[in-house]
Amino acid sequence: MSMSFDFDTIYNRRDSDSLKWSRYRERDVIPMWVADMDFRSPAPILEALYRRVEHGIFGYASVPPELVQVVVARMWERYRWEIDPAWLVWLPGVVPALNVVCQAYGAEGDEVVTFTPVYPPFLSGPPRRGKTLRTIPLWRQDDLYTFDTERFESEITPRSKILLLCNPHNPVGRRYERQEIARIADICLSHDLLICSDEIHCDLVLDGGAHVPTATLGPEVAARTITLMAPSKTFNIPGLNCAFAVIPNAELRTRFKKVREGTVPGTNVLGFTACLAAYRDGEPWRQALIDYLRANKEVLRDFVRREFPGLSMDDVQATYLAWIDVRSLNLPKPARYFEEFGVALFDGKQFGGEGFVRLNFGCPRSLLVEALNRLRLAVQSTGRD
Ligand SMILES: Cc1ncc(COP(=O)(O)O)c(C=O)c1O
């Protein structure tokens, strides 16, 4: 049986309580900033939610046992990672988990290290939780961003306690290879750093390669790694608040749970329902989504190459986010400039990457093309008053 899925229909999200769209309710601006997609979730998720709503009682949630089995099986099938159900800690989001990690381990003033540019909560979390942030810029090799391992190691001090790692990396779209992560993990081992590995985009690999969870590099690495995952990006359900951490080390897990208690709310009962349906029944849709996103990425890259000679964007190996270098335009506030032309992008400055913008291409192709035409006008209009 062949299945077809619709990613082309444009739905009106302006009046749907959407963070991404409500900002521009009264304006003709295509929002491509926040990382959610403009696609409906797959039918099995919607059906599971209808059934759950029909039950009519929405008390405090406990994780469905089948979901635990499905996650354990998934880790084995995809990564040959054998996880114990006891290692799973359920959460309403990955960002709360990043904050719990920053608070739970190390003393006041200890350092949290991360590679920039990076998703803004990696930068705001540590200082909010009493830690000092140390940023190491990614560097470029063969037209791709990668870790500057020498600089990473040389900047580690006795107060460095935690590495926040983003893989696949938002915003640069890298899916790191095993040897790249292995070198980072080795350095963390020899300097006794805990690794918090945010792998929320792991099911959105577009380049056909394999995602390698940090914790699968070996038992020593697993013992110091907290892995964060969620169905939210892939199946477009971030508003349902369901994510999880995998924490093999019992001591780290206890500490994590203690700090979570009382500050982080429980997981959303509908989030559990959606997560189970997504992981159990959403695979055909996910495969089709990957094909669609890959084609969108090609449309975007071709357009940037053809129409914007001074600008550049790397291949997006994973995620539906493009990181575009607009430094040659010399715009003091790039995102604000493009917004005037009807496209809302994230300004790179918030990621620690001034002169760049991040574009979310998780939308119907016709909307992407319309946005690109607006961006062309914007680029052509630079330097003119
Ligand atoms: C790397 C990364 N982590 C976490 C999140 C958001 O996590 P959550 O919505 O589960 O808090 C995002 C969303 O864009 C992200 O890109």
Side-chain angles (χ1 to χ4, degrees), residues 27 67 114 152 157 192 207 214 227 241 256 264 288 308 322 346:
R27 292 170 62 189
L67 176 55
T114 199
F152 172 46
T157 76
D192 198 21
D207 73 344
T214 306
T227 306
N241 292 11
F256 183 98
V264 179
F308 305 147
F346 244 131

Side-chain angles (χ1 to χ4, degrees), residues 38-107:
D38 297 322
F39 307 129
R40 297 190 89 202
S41 291
I45 293 186
L46 302 182
E47 283 154 17
L49 288 171
Y50 296 144
R51 277 197 300 276
R52 184 62 189 80
V53 168
E54 186 63 32
H55 184 255
I57 302 175
F58 307 103
Y60 296 114
S62 94
V63 60
E66 190 185 356
L67 176 55
V68 174
Q69 287 170 16
V70 163
V71 168
V72 169
R74 185 177 182 84
M75 295 303 159
W76 176 252
E77 280 155 23
R78 298 176 81 82
Y79 312 119
R80 290 291 173 259
W81 186 13
E82 196 174 350
I83 70 167
D84 185 323
W87 300 352
L88 292 170
V89 181
W90 293 90
L91 294 151
V94 164
V95 172
L98 291 171
N99 280 270
V100 166
V101 166
C102 291
Q103 189 170 331
Y105 312 107

Side-chain angles (χ1 to χ4, degrees), residues 98-113 126 128-132 157-164 191-196 224 226 251-252 255-256 259:
L98 291 171
N99 280 270
V100 166
V101 166
C102 291
Q103 189 170 331
Y105 312 107
E108 182 93 15
D110 276 349
E111 289 170 3
V112 176
V113 186
R128 253 181 220 156
R129 307 294 149 195
K131 297 297 192 290
T132 303
T157 76
R159 297 215 70 175
S160 309
K161 302 291 182 207
I162 302 170
L163 172 68
L164 296 183
H191 296 272
D192 198 21
L193 263 65
L194 182 145
I195 305 171
C196 177
R224 62 177 59 245
I226 293 174
E251 234 171 87
L252 295 182
R255 182 94 198 109
F256 183 98
V259 171

